[in-house]
Amino acid sequence: MSERSGKSIFAHKQTYSRKGNSKSRSVSEVADEAERLDGACPHVEDPQPPTILEGMRPSEVVALIEQRVAEQNKLLRRLRKEQPERKEALRSIRSDTHVMIGSVFSFPDPVEDMDEADYLRWRKDVIAFARVDAARNAAEVVSIVEHRDEAHPHVHVLAVPICAEGNMRMDAKRCHEGHREQDRHKDHGWSGSPSRSYKQAMRGWQDRYHAEVGAKHGQARTGPRRRRLDRPAWKAEQERLKAQKEAEIAILRAEEARRLADEEERRRDLVMQDTVARRLREAETVHAIAAGGLIAAIRQIDPDPVLRELLETPGEMGAWTHHDADRNREMHNALAPVLSDGLEALRQPLTGRGLLGGLSGFLRGVAGWVHRLADTSPRWLKWPETVAYVAQGAKQAFGTTYTASTLVGVIEASPAWQSFSGEARARLDQVRAMQALTNPRDSRPDASSQRGI
């Protein structure tokens, strides 16, 4: 905002009829000027279309008023028939009845000199003030537009009376402080001109606008000449208003900083919760595979029934021990390299991208190893004998106290599978603990059973 002196508020509120007269423009004339229609604003050198901030276009307000007047007059005619004793109170809405309230609020700095951020903060407060002001006066804001094609940017607010029992005729003067006080003056027979009460009420309205909007933005209630302030007093007031404005801005900035910090914290929480949920799903899947055993796992990788049969066939250890030396030598020479490769792989922990990735590679390796055993076994050697040979070698290699009866048993007793099963259990416990920290509501004892674990 520029540092020039003389920044004071400008706010005006007036009511209008559809017909208009020599003292007041009509509803359509006000709307046409607000919408910058051709010929409606000769005082503006280069009219530009307004910015619609809220609600409808001003020209649509005219149509809305005509529609509501027609509907209300129809209702009033019916009520006059039903309640003849209220004929005067229920008379029709005439063309000279004031049916719209128009307010204008101007920013003190010229368009070319104003600080955009200051102006937008002021505009936001003006809109909030106008809405509250209409509500307290039983009116409804239907259009808010902005003009920047004159020396000072300003906001027009158009409101219409709310049709209710206390205002059946849509009388906008009942929604205007000045007109209400002027009518009270007449009704009570107070001395002096009724216009004095009108002006006093509007000074109160100006005071309220200054307190709720103007003072927050460093704007004085009136200029120095009007109040006959000397320069030091005026300057002191400007300094006070400037300090008040800076304090308001500091509060707004602090609130904005807190809002941004809260949003960032919520975003991080959501990302964390999403990450934990994804890891929990993976951990539950891996644990379910480990608990289900090798056959259930390998069925997802290789659905070949021949492979499953090879894995589940019981071994017959006694058969191959009775072959002659030549056959035993042939069997050993054929199977020993394949067995050695397989046992070496079964000693190593699963490797790959995550447990699922490592498991997929491990299972594919198991399938390939079993098929290699079947392919390299001598034709005369029965498969149960091959299984027994592998089981005996695994017992020695892994140092187990028992001999597995099938290749499934061999693999599930291997360090690789045991490591995978233990890691699956530990990973699930770890992720559940993380979930309890990030979202305590999902860490109930029965939560896992509800998810089907």
Side-chain angles (χ1 to χ4, degrees), residues 312-334:
E312 293 179 305
T313 299
E316 295 180 7
M317 182 179 296
W320 58 264
T321 57
H322 294 88
H323 294 306
D324 57 37
D326 291 337
R327 285 198 167 188
N328 283 340
R329 189 179 305 107
E330 181 184 356
M331 177 187 66
H332 179 75
N333 291 338

Side-chain angles (χ1 to χ4, degrees), residues 58 73 153 205 251 262 295 400:
N73 276 339
W205 181 78
I251 292 172
D262 290 344
I295 292 299
T400 58

Side-chain angles (χ1 to χ4, degrees), residues 72-80 90-91 168:
Q72 200 66 8
N73 276 339
K74 183 178 180 181
L75 173 62
L76 290 169
R77 285 194 297 271
R78 179 173 63 80
L79 292 176
R80 282 200 301 273
L90 297 173
R91 65 188 186 278
M168 298 290 288

Side-chain angles (χ1 to χ4, degrees), residues 304-376:
D304 182 7
V306 173
L307 174 61
R308 295 201 302 274
E309 182 180 354
L310 294 174
L311 286 167
E312 293 179 305
T313 299
E316 295 180 7
M317 182 179 296
W320 58 264
T321 57
H322 294 88
H323 294 306
D324 57 37
D326 291 337
R327 285 198 167 188
N328 283 340
R329 189 179 305 107
E330 181 184 356
M331 177 187 66
H332 179 75
N333 291 338
L335 295 178
V338 181
L339 176 61
S340 177
D341 292 344
L343 295 180
E344 181 61 27
L346 291 175
R347 285 193 184 93
Q348 306 301 320
L350 276 58
T351 59
R353 189 173 181 179
L355 277 181
L356 275 178
L359 177 63
S360 297
F362 174 77
L363 294 177
R364 283 191 292 269
V366 165
W369 178 56
V370 172
H371 285 302
R372 281 182 63 198
L373 286 172
D375 292 342
T376 56

